[in-house]
Amino acid sequence: MAQLIPLEDYVAQVLESLVPLKGERVALAEAHGRVLAEDVAAAVPVPPWTNSAMDGYAVRAAQTSGASPQAPVVLPVAGDVPAGAAPAPLVPGSAQRIMTGAMLPEGADAVVKVEDTDQAAGPHPLPGRVEIRVEVGPGTNVRGAGEDVRAGDPVMAAGTRLSATGLSALASVGLGSVRVAPRVRVAVVSTGAELRDAGQELVPGTIPDSNGLLLAGLVAEHGALCTGVDRSVDTAEDLAAVLRRAADGADLIVTSGGVSAGAFDPLTMLAQVRPGEDAPVSLDFVKVAMQPGKPQGHGWVRADDGRRVPIICLPGNPVSVLVSFTTIVAPALARLAGQDAGGSSGWNAGMPQGRPRPAARAAVAWRTPPGRRQHVPVRFTSPPDHPTAAGDGSGGPSGNDAKTGEGLPWVTPTHRLGSGSHLVASLPAAQALAVVGAEVEAVDVGDELTLIPLSGSVPPVRADAL
């Protein structure tokens, strides 16, 4: 029987074989959803100039001294300052009508709101004079240049995924383009003569190809680009041709199925031919001490342009695909995109760098496979009616004593059969994978569990945190 290797060791093998792709510079309009490849500093201050925070009149504050509704200060109006204009300096003893966001004239140090004058708000001809009915101090209704960000200040760190608000911030600090991490191109291949298209009528012995859709969706949810979903029948010759075709235009190939010890598993058949330097495919398979997802493989496929395109071979059962993608493929995508900051592996593989590891408490008890780390799809749930005190920590990934678990959310497996690799219909309810150490024999109610969040899932929010 083949020796089982720890998940950390296998992920390290996969990551060691990968070379990060080069980033690219793109215009902000094309950068939504991309990941910054470098730290960004402000090119211009925000605001870029001192401007008005109100519609009103730009003045020297000292000249409003003593102003009140009963004793207004009357000033001549020397001109208009619309937004986007460069105003003339303020003549001493005068005011200029100014719009919100407009540049404050040289010599002015305050803005009197139009509501605190005798003038009506809205579009009206420029008045010849204005009554100031309130005393203001220097800086009143004024936004100082650079009070939000100064030129050269850090704005955003490498590794940030660019949202709509992020792009707005980058534009406001004077940037028109940014350097972003590459969008990894991933080709998906499902193996198995029994597979049929979704919705296609099934004949005896056939099943729908759910893994192709699952993998394509996971690729997209992790910020990569799926270049296509293909299938292979159970022959080494057909699989080799499909893999060569998938390698063209891809940076990574991910397959499902065909990695076990069956008589017709095409990937293992293909791997039996030891390749030379000019071989089209090179594959190695191992047994990983994890459940589900024990059989795994990786290697490379030679593309027509001569590139060796890395390939990661996952088991065929859907829950195994989800777990394997989250713990193995996700770190590989991060490595290829240059986002792994040195890499992560093992039970926390695939988790964003710098994020705290979330935890929860088991709302039900279950048994675990001996000698293998278990990854159980779970959903957040209500506490059990009679929760026990936190157990001895056996649910933790490292076997350390559990904390009290006070304030932690509760989770339960999404299916009564736990982490069975074929339980695809229950996967939509899964919000995270609960990690149980290989040395653990059983999980008890109240045990603290480490979680790996699943892409697309939303963690619970406590009402008092809103």
Side-chain angles (χ1 to χ4, degrees):
M1 181 176 178
Q3 182 179 3
L4 301 182
I5 70 170
L7 176 59
E8 293 92 340
D9 293 351
Y10 178 64
V11 174
Q13 288 181 20
V14 173
L15 296 183
E16 188 177 2
S17 68
L18 303 177
V19 177
L21 304 172
K22 293 182 179 180
E24 59 180 332
R25 181 165 292 277
V26 299
L28 292 187
E30 302 170 0
H32 187 267
R34 302 294 295 270
V35 175
L36 275 179
E38 60 187 3
D39 295 339
V40 173
V44 299
V46 180
W49 52 75
T50 299
N51 66 86
S52 175
M54 294 286 178
D55 293 331
Y57 290 83
V59 298
R60 282 179 168 84
Q63 293 181 331
T64 68
S65 177
S68 69
Q70 295 75 29
V73 171
V74 180
L75 297 174
V77 179
D80 261 330
V81 188
L90 182 68
V91 176
S94 69
Q96 292 184 24
R97 188 168 64 173
I98 192 168
M99 303 300 109
T100 301
M103 185 175 181
L104 196 70
E106 181 184 346
D109 60 4
V111 173
V112 179
K113 294 187 297 182
V114 67
E115 294 87 350
D116 292 329
T117 73
D118 65 334
Q119 299 299 311
H124 298 287
L126 182 70
R129 56 186 288 283
V130 62
E131 290 185 3
I132 307 297
R133 297 175 173 176
V134 64
E135 181 178 342
V136 296
T140 301
N141 299 322
V142 170
R143 303 165 177 155
E147 71 177 22
D148 183 8
V149 175
R150 296 169 300 177
D153 281 352
V155 174
M156 209 169 289
T160 302
R161 188 170 297 280
L162 294 172
S163 62
T165 54
L167 293 176
S168 174
L170 294 178
S172 72
V173 298
L175 299 179
S177 64
V178 286
R179 187 167 183 79
V180 295
R183 181 165 281 163
V184 183
R185 302 168 301 170
V186 182
V188 171
V189 175
S190 301
T191 68
E194 74 279 12
L195 300 178
R196 296 293 181 269
D197 291 334
Q200 186 176 353
E201 183 178 356
L202 301 180
V203 298
T206 63
I207 59 173
D209 179 13
S210 61
N211 283 341
L213 292 171
L214 174 60
L215 283 171
L218 289 170
V219 166
E221 289 173 7
H222 283 77
L225 177 65
C226 182
T227 60
V229 179
D230 210 337
R231 283 206 298 270
S232 164
V233 298
D234 292 332
T235 69
E237 294 77 15
D238 183 68
L239 177 59
V242 170
L243 293 180
R244 289 293 300 273
R245 186 167 63 246
D248 291 332
D251 304 307
L252 175 69
I253 301 171
V254 180
T255 70
S256 63
V259 296
S260 296
F264 299 101
D265 283 337
L267 281 161
T268 51
M269 287 190 290
L270 192 60
Q272 289 175 359
V273 180
R274 303 311 301 174
E277 280 297 313
D278 58 347
V281 181
S282 174
L283 297 171
D284 288 305
F285 293 95
V286 299
K287 302 296 184 184
V288 181
M290 60 186 289
Q291 193 273 334
K294 180 173 69 173
Q296 299 286 341
H298 74 104
W300 51 262
V301 177
R302 190 179 297 279
D304 288 342
D305 60 7
R307 294 177 303 124
R308 286 186 174 185
V309 179
I311 180 172
I312 300 177
C313 307
L314 310 181
N317 284 310
V319 181
S320 297
V321 169
L322 175 65
V323 171
S324 301
F325 191 101
T326 303
T327 57
I328 300 167
V329 180
L333 291 176
R335 170 62 57 86
L336 287 171
Q339 299 169 29
D340 61 349
S344 62
S345 61
W347 68 267
N348 63 337
M351 291 188 60
Q353 292 294 316
R355 297 281 183 87
R357 298 187 293 269
R361 296 177 67 183
V364 298
W366 69 82
R367 296 199 61 79
T368 64
R372 289 194 285 164
R373 179 176 298 153
Q374 188 182 39
H375 300 85
V376 183
V378 295
R379 58 182 175 85
F380 296 100
T381 187
S382 301
D385 292 336
H386 302 288
T388 62
D392 62 0
S394 59
S398 60
N400 295 330
D401 287 343
K403 301 177 182 177
T404 61
E406 192 69 29
L408 293 178
W410 294 80
V411 293
T412 188
T414 55
H415 195 283
R416 60 182 176 80
L417 297 179
S419 56
S421 61
H422 62 293
L423 304 174
V424 62
S426 64
L427 283 185
Q431 294 171 290
L433 299 177
V435 183
V436 185
E439 73 284 359
V440 177
E441 296 181 356
V443 172
D444 295 323
V445 174
D447 278 356
E448 187 172 330
L449 302 164
T450 296
L451 303 182
I452 302 176
L454 293 174
S455 61
S457 67
V458 179
V461 177
R462 293 171 49 143
D464 58 6
L466 297 175

